[in-house]
Amino acid sequence: MAGISSESLTTALAQLEAKLPFASLQLAKDLFGILGTVDSSAGLRRALTDPSRTGDEKSALVKQLVGGKVSADAAEIAGGLASSRWASARDIGDALETLAATVVIAVAENKSAVSASGITGLEELENDLFAFNQAVASSHEVQRALSEPQASPAAKIALAEKLVPGSSEEAKVLISQAVTQPRGVKPSKLVESFAKLAAKRQQRWIATVSVTRPLTETQASRLQAGLDALYGRELKVNLNVDPALIGGIRVQVGDEVLDASVVARLSELRRQLAG
């Protein structure tokens, strides 16, 4: 996904973030259900991505289709996607899939947030998804069974759950989606993409800190407290000694970089001089 579709997805993910602390698996299931409706009708996909229709018209169409069948939040999210611009008819489905998976991942994250770090729930989810793909990769018979067009969705879900007994409810939702609605790719490939989304969200809990020399215990404690206060959650801090920084500190949490190193300041000065 690129161009205008990528921008629309980025906006939708930013808006979804406010709902994630209180999200439930039912919201994800509702979004996956809407995705099934969209995927089942080429005419609907064209209508929802028709540039000649206004965003309000497309949003109203979605809400009319799903109103009363899903939660108000799910209808609102789907309506927001419909009101956005998309480069191709498939892109809106891809975006719905990403948002639904993100909700599932956030539910896993929230499970352990009360115990200080959401990283535990995310690790559990990633491990379950990895275990499923390992089990599928080890058996050609399983691969054929999961791609058999005549097999019922219930049969595929039952087989998938046997492959990863004891998996979390969040993993079951994502794996069930992958085996019943792979959307043109192998179920294991879709599970892999879900795992990548979980790994990316996990990075929000990890601070990679580069300093020019080792910190004392007191300094490390102050750094931990400062970062936890700045981000509003207890981060896992990975310290890296990098003399090349010359001085200062560099912190990366997810995609965000806070760079107060001498090297960064010199680089900025060079850019200003060159300009």
Side-chain angles (χ1 to χ4, degrees):
M1 191 182 297
I4 190 65
S5 292
S6 179
E7 293 174 12
S8 294
L9 175 57
T10 298
T11 298
L13 285 168
Q15 293 171 343
L16 178 66
E17 198 65 38
K19 299 181 184 295
L20 294 183
F22 318 101
S24 68
L25 286 181
Q26 187 57 51
L27 173 58
K29 292 175 182 178
D30 285 347
L31 292 174
F32 278 136
I34 296 171
L35 171 61
T37 300
V38 171
D39 277 347
S40 68
S41 172
L44 176 58
R45 291 195 299 278
R46 287 193 296 270
L48 295 180
T49 54
D50 184 352
S52 68
R53 291 174 178 252
T54 67
D56 288 342
E57 288 173 336
K58 292 183 287 186
S59 178
L61 174 59
V62 167
K63 292 178 179 178
Q64 180 181 354
L65 285 172
V66 304
K69 301 174 183 177
V70 298
S71 67
D73 278 344
E76 179 187 343
I77 291 167
L81 285 179
S83 69
S84 300
R85 297 172 59 197
W86 304 96
S88 73
R90 180 182 170 95
D91 285 352
I92 190 170
D94 290 346
L96 259 172
E97 184 177 71
T98 298
L99 293 185
T102 299
V103 171
V104 177
I105 292 164
V107 172
E109 178 183 36
N110 294 341
K111 274 172 44 175
S112 50
V114 292
S115 62
S117 178
I119 197 170
T120 306
L122 293 172
E123 285 178 338
E124 180 186 12
L125 176 58
E126 288 180 74
N127 290 339
D128 287 342
L129 298 180
F130 179 75
F132 171 80
N133 273 359
Q134 286 289 95
V136 172
S138 67
S139 172
H140 293 296
E141 183 179 350
V142 168
Q143 293 169 31
R144 286 193 297 270
L146 290 178
S147 27
E148 171 55 57
Q150 300 304 317
S152 69
K156 292 181 178 180
I157 291 172
L159 173 58
E161 291 187 354
K162 287 180 181 178
L163 297 177
V164 280
S167 60
S168 67
E169 291 302 311
E170 295 76 31
K172 288 178 182 177
V173 170
L174 293 180
I175 292 171
S176 295
Q177 178 68 19
V179 300
T180 58
Q181 295 189 54
R183 307 183 67 243
V185 300
K186 293 181 179 179
S188 58
K189 191 69 176 177
L190 186 52
V191 167
E192 181 182 340
S193 72
F194 291 154
K196 288 180 179 178
L197 284 175
K200 183 175 181 180
R201 192 157 187 89
Q202 186 182 57
Q203 293 305 309
R204 298 171 66 252
W205 293 86
I206 301 174
T208 300
V209 180
S210 296
V211 292
T212 56
R213 60 181 181 273
L215 301 183
T216 66
E217 186 174 333
T218 299
Q219 289 172 326
S221 296
R222 289 175 179 170
L223 174 65
Q224 178 78 60
L227 289 174
D228 290 350
L230 179 62
Y231 286 92
R233 53 185 180 270
E234 185 176 325
L235 300 174
K236 177 182 179 181
V237 177
N238 293 332
L239 279 172
N240 173 48
V241 177
D242 183 6
L245 290 177
I246 304 176
I249 186 172
R250 183 181 188 274
V251 178
Q252 180 167 357
V253 179
D255 295 330
E256 183 177 357
V257 176
L258 307 175
D259 199 332
S261 68
V262 172
V263 169
R265 293 197 292 272
L266 289 175
S267 296
E268 178 61 26
L269 179 60
R270 280 196 293 269
R271 284 194 293 270
Q272 291 176 0
L273 291 174

